[in-house]
Amino acid sequence: GENVEQHPSTLSVQEGDSAVIKCTYSDSASNYFPWYKQELGKRPQLIIDIRSNVGEKKDQRIAVTLNKTAKHFSLHITETQPEDSAVYFCAASIQGGSYIPTFGRGTSLIVHP
Amino acid sequence: GAVVSQHPSWVICKSGTSVKIECRSLDFQATTMFWYRQFPKQSLMLMATSNEGSKATYEQGVEKDKFLINHASLTLSTLTVTSAHPEDSSFYICSVNRGDYTFGSGTRLTVV
């Protein structure tokens, strides 16, 4: 089955700095890679996703890159703000049908004002 | 994504009692729903896939007699934690796949 590794487990940055979270996956058949943000006590919410037919996707301060050859993908947050503080999960799956994503262990991002 | 409602948002129960958690897909008829468990500062662990009109599919290591899942309609799946014990205390979240993966609001279960 799929195995997703996520690093780092904790990331502490100053407001305004950039933050990068990296994930690797094992199943070359995986073609859909969503990222979720989970604030304390709340549900995970999809913030950005990327499919295997593109290498990069950007949405304002958030971007995701994908390297299919190396089987890794990364989340980039620029100009971080205190409200970006949360746990971020990456996931990998095969889209179509009742796909079930495999989640990384999560990264706790702390943005200091 | 779908709109997913989960109830209750939190519950405290005594050891030995049973607790039912509801997950509703409000704008989408879901033939499958997914139940996750999340311990503090840990990732989402898939417990089971709920299948409308048939038996749920449990992940390895999840006791099906302890975590009863019923998916009687296309909009409702329930998870019942039977004979709850303190070690069952956790955050339980359901989800629905409608192109992307949408989560319910979660239920914080505390067993005392």
Side-chain angles (χ1 to χ4, degrees), chain B residues 18-93:
Chain B
S18 295
V19 174
K20 180 186 284 188
I21 302 169
E22 294 185 347
C23 179
R24 294 182 183 274
S25 176
L26 300 181
D27 64 344
F28 175 64
Q29 292 187 324
T31 55
T32 54
M33 294 186 184
F34 308 94
W35 286 97
Y36 287 83
R37 181 175 183 175
Q38 186 178 34
F39 290 107
K41 298 186 179 181
Q42 292 192 23
S43 190
L44 299 152
M45 184 192 82
L46 180 66
M47 298 176 66
T49 300
S50 172
N51 303 300
E52 188 268 335
S54 65
K55 293 182 180 179
T57 305
Y58 289 83
E59 295 300 301
Q60 190 173 8
V62 178
E63 300 175 58
K64 60 181 181 181
D65 294 331
K66 181 167 186 62
F67 299 101
L68 300 179
I69 290 173
N70 183 277
H71 193 153
S73 77
L74 290 170
T75 59
L76 174 64
S77 175
T78 60
L79 168 67
T80 301
V81 183
T82 63
S83 186
H85 292 284
E87 56 265 32
D88 297 324
S89 299
S90 190
F91 193 52
Y92 293 87
I93 315 176

Side-chain angles (χ1 to χ4, degrees), chain A residues 3-101:
Chain A
N3 181 48
V4 176
E5 299 285 339
Q6 183 173 348
H7 298 280
S9 56
T10 305
L11 180 58
S12 183
V13 301
Q14 288 296 128
E15 183 177 1
D17 288 350
S18 295
V20 180
I21 302 170
K22 298 181 179 181
C23 289
T24 61
Y25 62 99
S26 61
D27 189 349
S28 57
S30 290
N31 59 9
Y32 178 64
F33 307 92
W35 285 87
Y36 292 85
K37 175 183 180 181
Q38 186 179 27
E39 297 177 358
L40 189 63
K42 297 187 177 181
R43 77 182 83 192
Q45 293 198 304
L46 179 70
I47 55 171
I48 195 167
D49 56 16
I50 191 167
R51 289 171 174 78
S52 60
N53 59 344
V54 298
E56 184 174 358
K57 183 176 179 179
K58 190 174 181 180
D59 183 3
Q60 299 183 337
R61 296 186 298 109
I62 295 173
V64 58
T65 58
L66 170 65
N67 184 326
K68 287 190 296 181
T69 303
K71 296 197 191 73
H72 66 69
F73 56 113
S74 301
L75 177 71
H76 304 253
I77 305 174
T78 58
E79 300 172 30
T80 54
Q81 301 167 2
E83 50 266 40
D84 293 330
S85 297
V87 178
Y88 292 80
F89 293 98
C90 64
S93 70
I94 301 171
Q95 200 168 29
S98 60
Y99 83 90
I100 303 174

